[in-house]
Amino acid sequence: MRPNQPSLTPAGEVKRAQPPTLRDVAEAAGVHAATASRALNPSTRRLVSAETARRVIKAAKTLGYQPNPIARSLKTAKSSTVGLVIPDLTNPLFPPIVRGIEDVLEAEGFSAWIVNTDNDPERERVRIDSLRSRQVEGLIIATARVEHPFLEALHEQGVKMVLVNRRVENLEVPCVTADDATGIALAVRHLAELGHRRIAHLAGPHSTSTGVVRSRAFRHAIRDHGLEDDPSLIVECAHWNEADGAAAMRELLDRDDRFTAVVAGNDLIALGCYDVFAERGISCPDEMSVVGFNDMPFIDKLRPPLTTVAVPHHDIGAEAARMLLDCIEEPDRRPRSLLLPVTMVVRDSTTRPRPLPSA
């Protein structure tokens, strides 16, 4: 009888087969159990010959063998898992980042536990504690705030982590972000070259590094083009979402309608602008031009399609995963930061301005 096949008990009942073990795979492939283990683990497969690896993998597939990651982690103190901490899973920004992370991790035999914090600090603490209880080998964190004592405490405890899309003030950990300052400069230049002179900015929350950097870059770019740096044309959104973008746009219009273009902190904030244009009968781009930031999936399907700054989200995720794997492999490696280039994507939400009405 083949190993682990169903058998009959003395009473004639079928006895359920036990799942195949690593030893069964090793015997079927004609190798030692340790060799079979190395062949089945992508991170150690290079330690055996290609022919041996093929033989072991074939035997495992034939027997229906599934590695037990819990048993492996207990034996090696390595779980081959990482935690991925996301602030808002409904934000279309994050799926391409997650895909980039998973593509790199999978190739190295790692997998990711994904948790959502809803931008709630207490929920973040609970979720990260849960990940650590599962013995993840490191964290990729997209929830960082400019001041973030909890992440500082984790760093002091030696938790390996990489930040994506955001930074923490005075915290030396690896991070991967888009070149936000250049992206905003491109947006302002595009509008200035079209002839816009009074350009507003709906900024992201200044509790995040992205909000601070993009807002600061906007003011620099305005001055670089000789335009009026009017603080009344900048409104900070409480959150990176459509509803707060709409609220900020209403506030701006009620305060001062003598502007012809808006640079939104991100695409969701720009969507809020579209909502208010529909409410108030404002034609985009004829009466108001809008530029977003991120180039989220499907943003080109809006009416009008949104002019925006494209961010390489998949690459951000992939680079973050590589950085974390480097930290796991070399714990003493000095942290490094990576800025990825952005590009301007011109669509139909921007055009030359109409003359402003006289005061």
Side-chain angles (χ1 to χ4, degrees), residues 57-188:
I57 292 170
K58 181 178 179 181
K61 186 175 181 180
T62 300
L63 293 174
Y65 171 73
Q66 292 292 330
N68 186 335
I70 297 176
R72 177 183 291 173
S73 67
L74 290 173
K75 183 176 181 180
T76 65
K78 295 182 177 180
S79 65
S80 295
T81 62
V82 303
L84 177 52
V85 186
I86 301 295
D88 180 7
L89 281 174
T90 65
N91 187 333
L93 165 76
F94 291 108
I97 293 177
V98 173
R99 175 58 64 87
I101 291 169
E102 290 191 325
D103 285 349
V104 170
L105 292 180
E106 183 178 2
E108 297 298 326
F110 277 71
S111 56
W113 291 94
I114 303 174
V115 296
N116 175 64
T117 71
D118 288 332
N119 288 298
D120 181 337
E122 181 56 31
R123 183 181 174 95
E124 174 189 68
R125 184 183 297 273
V126 170
R127 292 295 183 266
I128 289 180
D129 286 346
S130 175
L131 290 172
R132 295 182 69 193
S133 73
R134 287 170 167 77
Q135 306 300 314
V136 295
E137 296 190 46
L139 300 171
I140 297 175
I141 297 176
T143 57
R145 297 181 297 279
V146 173
E147 296 182 0
H148 209 131
F150 181 51
L151 295 190
E152 293 173 11
L154 291 177
H155 179 57
E156 291 174 0
Q157 294 167 26
V159 175
K160 302 176 184 68
M161 69 178 85
V162 174
L163 308 183
V164 292
N165 208 43
R166 299 180 184 176
R167 303 168 182 264
V168 176
E169 195 77 26
N170 300 319
L171 183 61
E172 291 191 10
V173 298
C175 64
V176 186
T177 63
D179 189 349
D180 291 320
T182 295
I184 291 294
L186 290 173
V188 173

Side-chain angles (χ1 to χ4, degrees), residues 239-252:
H239 302 92
W240 295 98
N241 62 33
E242 182 177 352
D244 283 84
M249 189 65 196
R250 293 186 193 100
E251 178 183 340
L252 191 60

Side-chain angles (χ1 to χ4, degrees), residues 115-350:
V115 296
N116 175 64
T117 71
D118 288 332
N119 288 298
D120 181 337
E122 181 56 31
R123 183 181 174 95
E124 174 189 68
R125 184 183 297 273
V126 170
R127 292 295 183 266
I128 289 180
D129 286 346
S130 175
L131 290 172
R132 295 182 69 193
S133 73
R134 287 170 167 77
Q135 306 300 314
V136 295
E137 296 190 46
L139 300 171
I140 297 175
I141 297 176
T143 57
R145 297 181 297 279
V146 173
E147 296 182 0
H148 209 131
F150 181 51
L151 295 190
E152 293 173 11
L154 291 177
H155 179 57
E156 291 174 0
Q157 294 167 26
V159 175
K160 302 176 184 68
M161 69 178 85
V162 174
L163 308 183
V164 292
N165 208 43
R166 299 180 184 176
R167 303 168 182 264
V168 176
E169 195 77 26
N170 300 319
L171 183 61
E172 291 191 10
V173 298
C175 64
V176 186
T177 63
D179 189 349
D180 291 320
T182 295
I184 291 294
L186 290 173
V188 173
R189 184 177 73 181
H190 168 66
L191 293 170
E193 289 177 346
L194 286 173
H196 293 276
R197 308 303 297 169
R198 286 182 60 79
I199 303 171
H201 179 44
L202 300 188
H206 287 183
S207 59
T208 64
S209 62
T210 39
V212 172
V213 170
R214 292 176 192 177
S215 183
R216 184 185 300 136
F218 174 79
R219 299 192 71 172
H220 284 313
I222 288 292
R223 290 193 291 266
D224 288 344
H225 288 279
L227 305 178
E228 182 182 358
D229 182 13
D230 184 351
S232 71
L233 291 180
I234 300 176
V235 179
E236 179 185 348
C237 298
H239 302 92
W240 295 98
N241 62 33
E242 182 177 352
D244 283 84
M249 189 65 196
R250 293 186 193 100
E251 178 183 340
L252 191 60
L253 287 169
D254 291 341
R255 177 192 303 171
D256 182 351
D257 62 359
R258 290 176 54 78
F259 60 97
T260 59
V262 178
V263 174
N266 72 354
D267 291 340
L268 289 175
I269 291 173
L271 278 177
C273 295
Y274 276 40
D275 295 339
V276 176
F277 296 160
E279 290 174 6
R280 303 199 177 188
I282 297 172
S283 174
C284 175
D286 295 334
E287 296 177 88
M288 189 75 68
S289 290
V290 181
V291 179
F293 202 110
N294 278 331
D295 197 26
M296 296 187 317
F298 308 115
I299 212 71
D300 58 325
K301 303 300 189 291
L302 296 178
R303 288 293 175 266
L306 183 65
T307 294
T308 189
V309 176
V311 172
H313 296 113
H314 182 277
D315 293 347
I316 286 176
E319 291 295 342
R322 293 187 187 102
M323 276 191 182
L324 185 59
L325 293 174
D326 287 344
C327 291
I328 293 169
E329 186 73 19
E330 303 176 55
D332 297 327
R333 185 187 185 105
R334 286 186 60 82
R336 61 192 178 95
S337 299
L338 184 61
L339 276 182
L340 295 187
V342 297
T343 54
M344 191 73 203
V345 181
V346 178
R347 299 194 179 102
D348 295 340
S349 67
T350 52

Side-chain angles (χ1 to χ4, degrees), residues 2 24-26 28-30 36 39-40 45 50-65:
R2 291 174 59 192
D24 296 330
V25 174
L40 292 171
R45 191 169 294 153
E51 174 56 34
T52 298
R54 280 194 293 270
R55 197 162 69 247
V56 171
I57 292 170
K58 181 178 179 181
K61 186 175 181 180
T62 300
L63 293 174
Y65 171 73

Side-chain angles (χ1 to χ4, degrees), residues 31-48:
V31 298
H32 192 274
T35 302
S37 177
R38 294 188 191 98
L40 292 171
N41 186 342
S43 64
T44 57
R45 191 169 294 153
R46 64 185 183 281
L47 300 177
V48 303

